[in-house]
Amino acid sequence: MSGTGPLETAMREKLVARFDPHRLQIVNESHLHAGHHNRDSADDGSFDGAGETHFRVRIVATQFDGMSRIERHRAINDALADELAPDKVHALAIEPAAPGEPTRW
């Protein structure tokens, strides 16, 4: 997907401000969900994959050192609370790590 939308930009700004990450990747995966049934839409139709609804956040930050996986996820969810509100981001996959920990990316 090309271009960065307003939600992705806001997410990046908040994560950088909150965690000062060594590495940060935000991947818009909305297009991977095209064709999925959308019971929450007004027309009860299928999702077309456009927009900013599904993201993957990959982040390496010193603040995650000594935190459990759940604590890391909660910290990221707290930082992105506005973006995770209803009618904004539908799904967020989180891959947090402290420096020196192995990552898959």
XYZ file of all heavy atoms in Angstrom:
816
model
N 0.851 -1.165 0.000
C 0.000 0.000 0.000
C 0.892 1.222 0.000
O 1.899 1.275 0.665
C -0.885 0.008 1.239
C -1.670 -1.255 1.406
S -3.459 -1.162 1.492
C -3.974 0.224 0.598
N 0.508 2.208 -0.728
C 1.319 3.412 -0.807
C 0.662 4.530 -0.017
O -0.538 4.566 0.176
C 1.491 3.817 -2.272
O 0.231 4.106 -2.831
N 1.494 5.452 0.416
C 0.983 6.592 1.146
C 0.731 6.279 2.606
O 0.586 5.128 3.000
N 0.739 7.333 3.372
C 0.490 7.203 4.795
C -0.735 8.026 5.129
O -0.781 9.224 4.842
C 1.703 7.701 5.602
O 2.844 6.942 5.223
C 1.479 7.559 7.077
N -1.722 7.394 5.750
C -2.944 8.087 6.094
C -2.863 8.775 7.445
O -1.890 8.621 8.186
N -3.893 9.519 7.791
C -3.889 10.281 9.047
C -3.831 9.418 10.306
O -3.174 9.796 11.277
C -5.175 11.105 8.991
C -6.024 10.448 7.948
C -5.098 9.759 7.002
N -4.476 8.262 10.313
C -4.405 7.398 11.492
C -3.003 6.838 11.679
O -2.464 6.826 12.783
C -5.424 6.254 11.397
C -6.853 6.600 11.783
C -7.778 5.418 11.521
C -6.940 7.022 13.218
N -2.400 6.380 10.589
C -1.046 5.857 10.677
C -0.070 6.942 11.129
O 0.813 6.694 11.958
C -0.601 5.281 9.332
C 0.783 4.675 9.380
C 1.196 4.025 8.072
O 0.335 3.767 7.207
O 2.403 3.765 7.923
N -0.231 8.132 10.613
C 0.626 9.252 11.009
C 0.471 9.553 12.494
O 1.463 9.726 13.210
C 0.294 10.501 10.170
O 0.549 10.205 8.788
C 1.128 11.696 10.597
N -0.765 9.595 12.967
C -1.017 9.866 14.392
C -0.429 8.761 15.264
O 0.169 9.043 16.317
C -2.516 10.005 14.642
N -0.581 7.519 14.829
C -0.025 6.399 15.583
C 1.494 6.515 15.680
O 2.075 6.351 16.755
C -0.431 5.070 14.926
C -1.895 4.747 15.066
S -2.468 3.376 14.030
C -1.413 2.056 14.549
N 2.140 6.811 14.563
C 3.602 6.937 14.536
C 4.054 8.052 15.482
O 4.982 7.875 16.270
C 4.090 7.210 13.117
C 5.610 7.324 13.011
C 6.062 7.434 11.567
N 5.510 6.391 10.720
C 5.935 5.130 10.678
N 6.933 4.751 11.445
N 5.365 4.246 9.889
N 3.410 9.202 15.396
C 3.786 10.339 16.247
C 3.649 9.994 17.729
O 4.528 10.318 18.527
C 2.938 11.559 15.894
C 3.284 12.155 14.547
C 2.332 13.239 14.088
O 1.318 13.509 14.793
O 2.576 13.823 13.008
N 2.582 9.334 18.099
C 2.358 8.986 19.506
C 3.348 7.937 19.994
O 3.850 8.033 21.117
C 0.922 8.508 19.705
C -0.075 9.640 19.602
C -1.481 9.171 19.803
C -2.434 10.357 19.726
N -3.809 9.972 20.007
N 3.623 6.937 19.168
C 4.562 5.892 19.578
C 5.987 6.439 19.695
O 6.714 6.081 20.623
C 4.506 4.713 18.608
C 3.204 3.914 18.643
C 3.153 2.914 17.497
C 3.007 3.228 19.981
N 6.370 7.313 18.798
C 7.705 7.922 18.871
C 7.811 8.795 20.115
O 8.795 8.734 20.859
C 8.014 8.722 17.587
C 9.230 9.620 17.773
C 8.232 7.777 16.410
N 6.786 9.601 20.379
C 6.804 10.481 21.550
C 6.810 9.694 22.851
O 7.509 10.059 23.809
C 5.594 11.422 21.512
N 6.067 8.620 22.905
C 5.924 7.852 24.144
C 7.096 6.908 24.408
O 7.551 6.762 25.534
C 4.615 7.060 24.104
C 4.419 6.016 25.179
C 4.206 6.631 26.551
N 3.923 5.628 27.543
C 4.849 4.916 28.192
N 6.118 5.105 27.950
N 4.498 4.019 29.092
N 7.611 6.262 23.352
C 8.595 5.195 23.550
C 9.996 5.504 23.014
O 10.921 4.754 23.306
C 8.093 3.889 22.917
C 6.818 3.396 23.531
C 5.617 3.523 22.859
C 6.810 2.814 24.792
C 4.429 3.069 23.424
C 5.631 2.364 25.366
C 4.437 2.506 24.680
N 10.151 6.538 22.208
C 11.455 6.852 21.598
C 12.108 5.562 21.078
O 13.199 5.175 21.504
C 12.362 7.548 22.609
C 13.637 8.083 21.986
O 13.638 8.366 20.767
O 14.646 8.194 22.705
N 11.441 4.879 20.153
C 11.886 3.538 19.755
C 13.206 3.525 18.995
O 13.544 4.469 18.283
C 10.748 3.044 18.859
C 10.077 4.269 18.363
C 10.259 5.311 19.419
N 13.919 2.415 19.157
C 15.122 2.148 18.367
C 14.717 1.799 16.940
O 15.411 2.159 15.998
C 15.916 0.982 18.962
C 16.489 1.279 20.305
N 17.831 1.369 20.515
C 15.903 1.526 21.497
C 18.059 1.644 21.801
N 16.896 1.733 22.403
N 13.601 1.056 16.822
C 13.035 0.692 15.524
C 11.525 0.744 15.639
O 10.958 0.380 16.670
C 13.437 -0.727 15.103
C 14.879 -0.870 14.736
C 15.199 -2.206 14.079
N 14.440 -3.316 14.644
C 14.572 -4.576 14.252
N 15.409 -4.899 13.303
N 13.873 -5.536 14.815
N 10.891 1.180 14.571
C 9.433 1.231 14.539
C 8.979 0.990 13.109
O 9.459 1.623 12.176
C 8.921 2.591 15.023
C 7.408 2.825 14.920
C 6.626 1.837 15.785
C 7.080 4.260 15.288
N 8.061 0.064 12.971
C 7.409 -0.215 11.689
C 5.920 -0.247 11.945
O 5.455 -0.947 12.852
C 7.845 -1.586 11.179
C 8.503 -1.606 9.868
C 8.821 -3.043 9.435
O 8.305 -4.028 9.953
N 9.687 -3.150 8.468
N 5.181 0.512 11.180
C 3.725 0.448 11.227
C 3.272 0.009 9.839
O 3.543 0.686 8.850
C 3.099 1.799 11.609
C 3.600 2.237 12.993
C 1.577 1.701 11.574
C 3.127 3.605 13.422
N 2.610 -1.133 9.803
C 2.200 -1.723 8.530
C 0.679 -1.680 8.437
O -0.021 -2.228 9.304
C 2.691 -3.189 8.419
C 2.309 -3.772 7.068
C 4.189 -3.278 8.664
N 0.176 -1.020 7.410
C -1.259 -0.992 7.164
C -1.627 -2.289 6.446
O -1.234 -2.511 5.305
C -1.631 0.224 6.316
C -3.122 0.359 6.100
O -3.881 -0.586 6.279
N -3.549 1.538 5.708
N -2.351 -3.152 7.134
C -2.736 -4.455 6.585
C -4.201 -4.507 6.172
O -4.752 -5.585 5.963
C -2.443 -5.550 7.616
C -0.971 -5.688 7.945
C -0.676 -6.799 8.932
O -1.594 -7.212 9.682
O 0.484 -7.268 8.950
N -4.824 -3.350 6.037
C -6.255 -3.293 5.723
C -6.577 -4.042 4.437
O -7.590 -4.747 4.356
C -6.707 -1.842 5.613
O -6.452 -1.152 6.816
N -5.713 -3.901 3.435
C -5.963 -4.542 2.136
C -6.015 -6.065 2.236
O -6.644 -6.722 1.413
C -4.897 -4.115 1.128
C -3.524 -4.564 1.482
N -2.785 -3.997 2.499
C -2.767 -5.563 0.973
C -1.622 -4.617 2.584
N -1.581 -5.568 1.681
N -5.387 -6.628 3.269
C -5.399 -8.086 3.441
C -6.765 -8.606 3.885
O -7.012 -9.809 3.849
C -4.342 -8.507 4.469
C -2.897 -8.165 4.126
C -1.981 -8.516 5.291
C -2.468 -8.880 2.858
N -7.642 -7.697 4.279
C -8.950 -8.096 4.799
C -10.085 -7.796 3.823
O -11.252 -7.898 4.188
C -9.180 -7.423 6.147
C -8.140 -7.809 7.149
N -8.260 -8.915 7.938
C -6.934 -7.264 7.442
C -7.178 -9.036 8.690
N -6.356 -8.044 8.409
N -9.741 -7.427 2.622
C -10.760 -7.162 1.598
C -11.631 -8.392 1.405
O -11.143 -9.519 1.386
C -10.097 -6.769 0.285
N -12.918 -8.167 1.301
C -13.856 -9.254 1.079
C -14.431 -9.845 2.344
O -15.369 -10.634 2.298
N -13.877 -9.473 3.483
C -14.430 -9.976 4.746
C -15.801 -9.363 4.985
O -16.034 -8.209 4.684
C -13.510 -9.632 5.919
C -12.225 -10.385 5.900
N -11.349 -10.355 6.944
C -11.654 -11.200 4.972
C -10.296 -11.100 6.664
N -10.467 -11.617 5.469
N -16.674 -10.151 5.531
C -18.015 -9.679 5.841
C -17.943 -8.618 6.931
O -17.257 -8.788 7.936
C -18.897 -10.850 6.300
C -20.309 -10.461 6.535
N -21.149 -10.115 5.501
C -21.024 -10.335 7.658
C -22.334 -9.805 5.997
N -22.284 -9.934 7.305
N -18.662 -7.532 6.744
C -18.620 -6.410 7.678
C -19.991 -6.215 8.308
O -20.798 -5.433 7.824
C -18.169 -5.142 6.951
C -17.954 -3.983 7.890
O -18.031 -4.137 9.100
N -17.691 -2.823 7.337
N -20.253 -6.917 9.391
C -21.549 -6.815 10.057
C -21.781 -5.444 10.667
O -22.913 -5.067 10.920
C -21.677 -7.874 11.140
C -21.828 -9.269 10.590
C -21.941 -10.264 11.692
N -20.602 -10.358 12.295
C -20.364 -10.830 13.501
N -21.337 -11.247 14.246
N -19.132 -10.896 13.963
N -20.710 -4.691 10.904
C -20.843 -3.396 11.563
C -21.132 -2.260 10.586
O -21.372 -1.140 11.009
C -19.565 -3.066 12.347
C -19.302 -4.078 13.439
O -20.285 -4.634 13.978
O -18.133 -4.323 13.756
N -21.110 -2.523 9.286
C -21.339 -1.447 8.326
C -22.830 -1.187 8.171
O -23.673 -2.033 8.464
C -20.722 -1.799 6.969
O -21.466 -2.821 6.351
N -23.150 -0.017 7.686
C -24.552 0.366 7.495
C -25.249 -0.537 6.483
O -26.422 -0.839 6.613
C -24.635 1.822 7.050
N -24.492 -1.000 5.467
C -25.105 -1.833 4.436
C -24.863 -3.324 4.655
O -25.257 -4.144 3.840
C -24.618 -1.419 3.050
C -23.112 -1.599 2.869
O -22.449 -2.097 3.794
O -22.614 -1.245 1.796
N -24.223 -3.683 5.767
C -23.958 -5.082 6.108
C -23.227 -5.803 4.978
O -23.405 -6.984 4.762
C -25.270 -5.802 6.450
C -25.031 -7.076 7.248
O -24.044 -7.124 8.000
O -25.832 -8.015 7.108
N -22.399 -5.048 4.238
C -21.712 -5.620 3.091
C -20.320 -6.104 3.424
O -19.946 -6.238 4.585
N -19.547 -6.373 2.396
C -18.174 -6.833 2.556
C -17.231 -5.643 2.605
O -17.440 -4.633 1.937
C -17.775 -7.733 1.387
O -18.508 -8.928 1.436
N -16.178 -5.785 3.374
C -15.150 -4.761 3.491
C -14.327 -4.748 2.208
O -13.905 -5.786 1.721
C -14.278 -5.070 4.714
C -13.097 -4.166 4.890
C -13.269 -2.800 5.038
C -11.816 -4.669 4.906
C -12.194 -1.963 5.203
C -10.724 -3.848 5.073
C -10.909 -2.489 5.226
N -14.065 -3.559 1.666
C -13.338 -3.466 0.397
C -11.822 -3.398 0.558
O -11.086 -3.379 -0.425
C -13.823 -2.274 -0.423
C -13.527 -0.930 0.224
O -12.888 -0.881 1.301
O -13.951 0.093 -0.354
N -11.327 -3.352 1.800
C -9.890 -3.332 2.032
C -9.266 -1.959 1.967
O -8.065 -1.807 2.147
N -10.056 -0.947 1.713
C -9.530 0.413 1.630
C -9.456 1.047 3.014
O -10.135 0.632 3.940
C -10.414 1.261 0.723
N -8.625 2.037 3.121
C -8.590 2.822 4.344
C -7.581 2.342 5.370
O -6.591 1.686 5.039
N -7.875 2.674 6.617
C -6.967 2.406 7.729
C -7.741 1.710 8.848
O -8.199 2.340 9.781
C -6.376 3.711 8.245
C -5.539 4.460 7.232
C -4.969 5.719 7.825
O -5.755 6.667 8.051
O -3.756 5.751 8.084
N -7.872 0.416 8.728
C -8.659 -0.331 9.701
C -7.867 -1.418 10.409
O -8.206 -1.796 11.524
C -9.869 -0.996 9.014
O -9.383 -1.852 7.972
C -10.817 0.046 8.433
N -6.835 -1.940 9.776
C -6.048 -3.048 10.315
C -4.567 -2.698 10.237
O -4.057 -2.417 9.150
C -6.306 -4.327 9.512
C -7.717 -4.806 9.549
N -8.733 -4.167 8.892
C -8.261 -5.870 10.164
C -9.864 -4.827 9.109
N -9.609 -5.869 9.870
N -3.897 -2.736 11.385
C -2.476 -2.369 11.424
C -1.663 -3.409 12.185
O -2.177 -4.130 13.034
C -2.277 -1.024 12.124
C -2.712 0.155 11.312
C -3.973 0.691 11.468
C -1.851 0.734 10.394
C -4.381 1.787 10.728
C -2.240 1.831 9.643
C -3.507 2.360 9.808
N -0.373 -3.426 11.886
C 0.615 -4.201 12.631
C 1.678 -3.202 13.086
O 2.235 -2.471 12.269
C 1.240 -5.277 11.753
C 2.324 -6.093 12.465
C 2.738 -7.298 11.620
N 1.584 -8.118 11.274
C 1.095 -9.094 12.042
N 1.662 -9.366 13.206
N 0.048 -9.786 11.652
N 1.944 -3.169 14.401
C 2.978 -2.305 14.961
C 4.135 -3.179 15.405
O 3.966 -4.085 16.219
C 2.437 -1.482 16.150
C 3.567 -0.782 16.887
C 1.408 -0.474 15.683
N 5.293 -2.907 14.849
C 6.535 -3.586 15.232
C 7.425 -2.520 15.859
O 7.768 -1.535 15.195
C 7.202 -4.201 14.005
C 6.374 -5.294 13.389
C 6.953 -5.737 12.065
N 6.301 -6.971 11.634
C 6.241 -7.362 10.381
N 6.810 -6.632 9.431
N 5.641 -8.485 10.070
N 7.775 -2.731 17.119
C 8.485 -1.684 17.833
C 9.531 -2.277 18.776
O 9.265 -3.261 19.466
C 7.480 -0.785 18.611
C 8.185 0.368 19.319
C 6.602 -1.598 19.539
C 7.225 1.417 19.875
N 10.716 -1.674 18.768
C 11.789 -2.027 19.694
C 12.082 -0.775 20.502
O 12.413 0.274 19.929
C 13.060 -2.494 18.952
C 14.188 -2.764 19.940
C 12.771 -3.729 18.114
N 11.926 -0.873 21.820
C 12.130 0.285 22.686
C 12.722 -0.138 24.021
O 12.368 -1.188 24.564
C 10.813 1.019 22.914
N 13.599 0.687 24.541
C 14.247 0.433 25.824
C 13.226 0.283 26.948
O 13.422 -0.514 27.868
C 15.235 1.570 26.145
O 16.183 1.654 25.080
C 15.972 1.331 27.437
N 12.129 1.021 26.883
C 11.124 0.972 27.945
C 10.493 -0.410 28.114
O 9.919 -0.702 29.159
C 10.028 2.012 27.701
C 10.505 3.398 28.014
C 10.096 4.382 26.938
O 9.953 3.999 25.785
N 9.933 5.622 27.309
N 10.600 -1.257 27.122
C 10.026 -2.602 27.222
C 10.913 -3.561 28.002
O 10.481 -4.662 28.348
C 9.745 -3.177 25.833
C 8.726 -2.399 25.054
C 8.897 -2.184 23.702
C 7.597 -1.883 25.663
C 7.964 -1.478 22.971
C 6.655 -1.164 24.949
C 6.841 -0.961 23.592
N 12.151 -3.154 28.299
C 13.064 -4.001 29.063
C 12.460 -4.287 30.437
O 12.072 -3.368 31.157
C 14.429 -3.317 29.206
C 15.485 -4.260 29.753
O 15.424 -5.459 29.451
O 16.367 -3.780 30.487
N 12.341 -5.547 30.777
C 11.788 -5.949 32.070
C 10.271 -6.008 32.123
O 9.705 -6.406 33.134
N 9.600 -5.620 31.045
C 8.134 -5.680 31.002
C 7.695 -7.016 30.409
O 8.342 -7.550 29.512
C 7.561 -4.548 30.142
C 7.753 -3.157 30.697
S 7.187 -1.877 29.541
C 5.420 -1.944 29.800
N 6.577 -7.526 30.912
C 5.995 -8.732 30.323
C 5.364 -8.382 28.979
O 5.141 -7.208 28.662
C 4.930 -9.318 31.247
O 3.775 -8.492 31.251
N 5.058 -9.399 28.214
C 4.395 -9.191 26.917
C 3.071 -8.446 27.103
O 2.745 -7.528 26.343
C 4.183 -10.542 26.240
C 3.603 -10.460 24.857
C 3.625 -11.859 24.214
N 3.110 -11.834 22.880
C 3.823 -11.518 21.811
N 5.079 -11.195 21.928
N 3.273 -11.523 20.610
N 2.321 -8.820 28.113
C 1.029 -8.167 28.373
C 1.233 -6.702 28.758
O 0.502 -5.825 28.288
C 0.245 -8.925 29.457
C -0.201 -10.284 28.909
C -0.952 -8.121 29.941
C -0.826 -11.197 29.931
N 2.222 -6.419 29.580
C 2.500 -5.032 29.964
C 2.891 -4.192 28.740
O 2.483 -3.034 28.626
C 3.621 -4.975 31.003
C 3.203 -5.516 32.356
C 4.372 -5.687 33.317
O 5.506 -6.013 32.853
O 4.153 -5.511 34.524
N 3.651 -4.770 27.855
C 4.040 -4.067 26.625
C 2.821 -3.751 25.765
O 2.667 -2.641 25.270
C 5.045 -4.908 25.831
C 6.363 -5.090 26.530
C 7.247 -6.083 25.806
N 8.492 -6.311 26.540
C 9.527 -6.971 26.070
N 9.473 -7.506 24.858
N 10.607 -7.120 26.797
N 1.957 -4.741 25.605
C 0.744 -4.537 24.813
C -0.141 -3.477 25.445
O -0.682 -2.612 24.737
C -0.018 -5.860 24.662
C 0.561 -6.761 23.628
N -0.121 -7.126 22.493
C 1.769 -7.373 23.547
C 0.629 -7.928 21.755
N 1.787 -8.092 22.380
N -0.296 -3.530 26.742
C -1.120 -2.526 27.433
C -0.549 -1.127 27.267
O -1.291 -0.163 27.066
C -1.247 -2.873 28.917
C -2.182 -4.021 29.166
C -2.299 -4.333 30.634
N -3.218 -5.445 30.850
C -3.190 -6.249 31.876
N -2.280 -6.081 32.826
N -4.052 -7.231 31.986
N 0.759 -0.991 27.347
C 1.398 0.321 27.197
C 1.146 0.883 25.791
O 0.843 2.072 25.632
C 2.897 0.212 27.477
N 1.239 0.022 24.785
C 0.991 0.464 23.415
C -0.485 0.793 23.220
O -0.836 1.819 22.626
C 1.486 -0.589 22.408
C 3.017 -0.653 22.463
C 0.987 -0.283 20.993
C 3.620 -1.837 21.762
N -1.367 -0.062 23.722
C -2.800 0.216 23.627
C -3.162 1.523 24.323
O -3.989 2.288 23.818
C -3.612 -0.940 24.213
C -3.656 -2.142 23.303
O -3.541 -2.027 22.095
N -3.817 -3.318 23.888
N -2.560 1.793 25.477
C -2.811 3.051 26.178
C -2.349 4.245 25.352
O -3.041 5.253 25.260
C -2.111 3.066 27.544
C -2.770 2.165 28.568
O -3.915 1.718 28.335
O -2.130 1.893 29.602
N -1.178 4.128 24.742
C -0.643 5.219 23.929
C -1.519 5.498 22.708
O -1.612 6.636 22.252
C 0.784 4.908 23.490
N -2.183 4.459 22.204
C -2.996 4.580 20.989
C -4.493 4.530 21.277
O -5.286 4.194 20.393
C -2.613 3.478 19.999
C -1.156 3.461 19.544
C -0.910 2.294 18.604
C -0.767 4.775 18.902
N -4.889 4.876 22.484
C -6.295 4.767 22.889
C -7.237 5.511 21.943
O -8.305 4.994 21.583
C -6.475 5.262 24.316
N -6.877 6.711 21.519
C -7.744 7.478 20.624
C -7.928 6.777 19.284
O -9.019 6.762 18.718
C -7.186 8.878 20.383
C -7.264 9.758 21.622
O -8.074 9.466 22.531
O -6.493 10.742 21.678
N -6.859 6.198 18.763
C -6.923 5.511 17.474
C -7.672 4.181 17.560
O -8.193 3.700 16.559
C -5.507 5.282 16.921
C -4.814 6.557 16.468
C -4.419 7.493 17.605
O -4.152 7.008 18.730
O -4.384 8.708 17.379
N -7.712 3.590 18.726
C -8.399 2.309 18.911
C -9.856 2.479 19.312
O -10.550 1.495 19.553
C -7.650 1.468 19.956
C -6.221 1.082 19.564
C -5.542 0.345 20.706
C -6.211 0.251 18.298
N -10.328 3.703 19.363
C -11.726 3.971 19.698
C -12.637 3.365 18.628
O -12.207 3.130 17.489
C -11.955 5.478 19.788
N -13.897 3.093 18.989
C -14.839 2.545 17.996
C -14.882 3.403 16.733
O -14.746 4.614 16.786
C -16.184 2.583 18.727
C -15.811 2.511 20.168
C -14.511 3.266 20.299
N -15.053 2.750 15.606
C -15.138 3.387 14.292
C -13.807 3.924 13.784
O -13.770 4.723 12.866
C -16.186 4.508 14.272
C -17.584 3.985 14.542
O -17.882 2.842 14.150
O -18.373 4.716 15.157
N -12.700 3.510 14.415
C -11.385 3.895 13.900
C -10.643 2.606 13.547
O -11.071 1.900 12.652
C -10.634 4.752 14.907
C -11.254 6.148 15.048
C -10.364 7.077 15.813
C -11.009 8.457 15.887
N -10.175 9.391 16.630
N -9.565 2.298 14.216
C -8.809 1.084 13.926
C -9.582 -0.129 14.442
O -9.967 -0.180 15.607
C -7.398 1.151 14.556
C -6.672 -0.179 14.410
C -6.589 2.263 13.903
N -9.787 -1.096 13.573
C -10.552 -2.297 13.918
C -9.669 -3.365 14.557
O -10.092 -4.067 15.462
C -11.218 -2.850 12.660
C -11.907 -4.149 12.849
N -13.108 -4.270 13.521
C -11.569 -5.397 12.471
C -13.464 -5.539 13.547
N -12.553 -6.244 12.916
N -8.421 -3.483 14.056
C -7.525 -4.534 14.554
C -6.094 -4.011 14.597
O -5.651 -3.314 13.694
C -7.603 -5.757 13.651
N -5.401 -4.386 15.678
C -4.013 -3.972 15.852
C -3.202 -5.165 16.328
O -3.421 -5.682 17.422
C -3.922 -2.839 16.886
C -2.525 -2.300 17.168
C -1.950 -1.626 15.932
C -2.567 -1.334 18.337
N -2.272 -5.603 15.482
C -1.322 -6.651 15.868
C -0.083 -5.940 16.394
O 0.388 -4.973 15.796
C -0.977 -7.517 14.670
N 0.434 -6.416 17.525
C 1.555 -5.749 18.174
C 2.714 -6.722 18.323
O 2.542 -7.824 18.840
C 1.139 -5.205 19.558
C -0.039 -4.234 19.415
C 2.313 -4.525 20.243
C -0.644 -3.805 20.745
N 3.904 -6.286 17.889
C 5.132 -7.064 18.013
C 6.158 -6.204 18.739
O 7.003 -5.570 18.109
C 5.640 -7.492 16.638
C 4.683 -8.411 15.889
C 5.195 -8.802 14.514
O 6.424 -8.875 14.333
O 4.360 -9.024 13.629
N 6.104 -6.166 20.082
C 7.031 -5.330 20.847
C 8.270 -6.108 21.273
O 8.217 -7.319 21.495
C 6.208 -4.958 22.068
C 5.347 -6.160 22.302
C 5.067 -6.737 20.923
N 9.390 -5.408 21.391
C 10.627 -6.025 21.865
C 11.482 -4.958 22.535
O 11.385 -3.778 22.221
C 11.387 -6.666 20.715
N 12.324 -5.420 23.440
C 13.356 -4.566 24.027
C 14.612 -4.728 23.179
O 14.786 -5.741 22.490
C 13.618 -4.973 25.477
N 15.516 -3.744 23.210
C 16.759 -3.880 22.446
C 17.501 -5.166 22.826
O 17.569 -5.541 23.990
C 17.561 -2.644 22.861
C 16.525 -1.654 23.262
C 15.430 -2.459 23.901
N 18.012 -5.835 21.819
C 18.743 -7.082 22.028
C 17.880 -8.321 21.978
O 18.404 -9.436 21.863
N 16.576 -8.174 22.087
C 15.679 -9.331 21.965
C 15.476 -9.677 20.500
O 15.445 -8.785 19.639
C 14.326 -9.031 22.616
C 14.378 -8.860 24.111
C 13.020 -8.545 24.718
O 12.069 -8.215 23.987
O 12.930 -8.633 25.953
N 15.312 -10.953 20.200
C 15.098 -11.332 18.795
C 13.739 -10.860 18.291
O 12.775 -10.803 19.051
C 15.177 -12.856 18.830
C 14.888 -13.244 20.240
C 15.348 -12.097 21.098
N 13.703 -10.475 17.034
C 12.457 -10.126 16.381
C 12.349 -10.948 15.101
O 13.340 -11.472 14.602
C 12.400 -8.623 16.025
O 13.450 -8.316 15.112
C 12.497 -7.754 17.266
N 11.148 -11.027 14.557
C 10.941 -11.750 13.307
C 11.010 -10.813 12.100
O 10.718 -11.196 10.993
C 9.582 -12.443 13.325
C 9.481 -13.506 14.393
C 8.174 -14.218 14.357
N 7.080 -13.278 14.563
C 5.811 -13.544 14.292
N 5.471 -14.706 13.781
N 4.868 -12.655 14.506
N 11.384 -9.571 12.354
C 11.406 -8.601 11.267
C 12.678 -7.877 11.242
O 13.328 -7.192 11.460
C 10.218 -7.648 11.372
C 10.007 -7.063 12.728
C 9.501 -7.680 13.833
C 10.335 -5.738 13.160
N 9.477 -6.834 14.903
C 9.983 -5.624 14.527
C 10.879 -4.641 12.525
C 10.162 -4.473 15.266
C 11.047 -3.485 13.258
C 10.690 -3.402 14.618
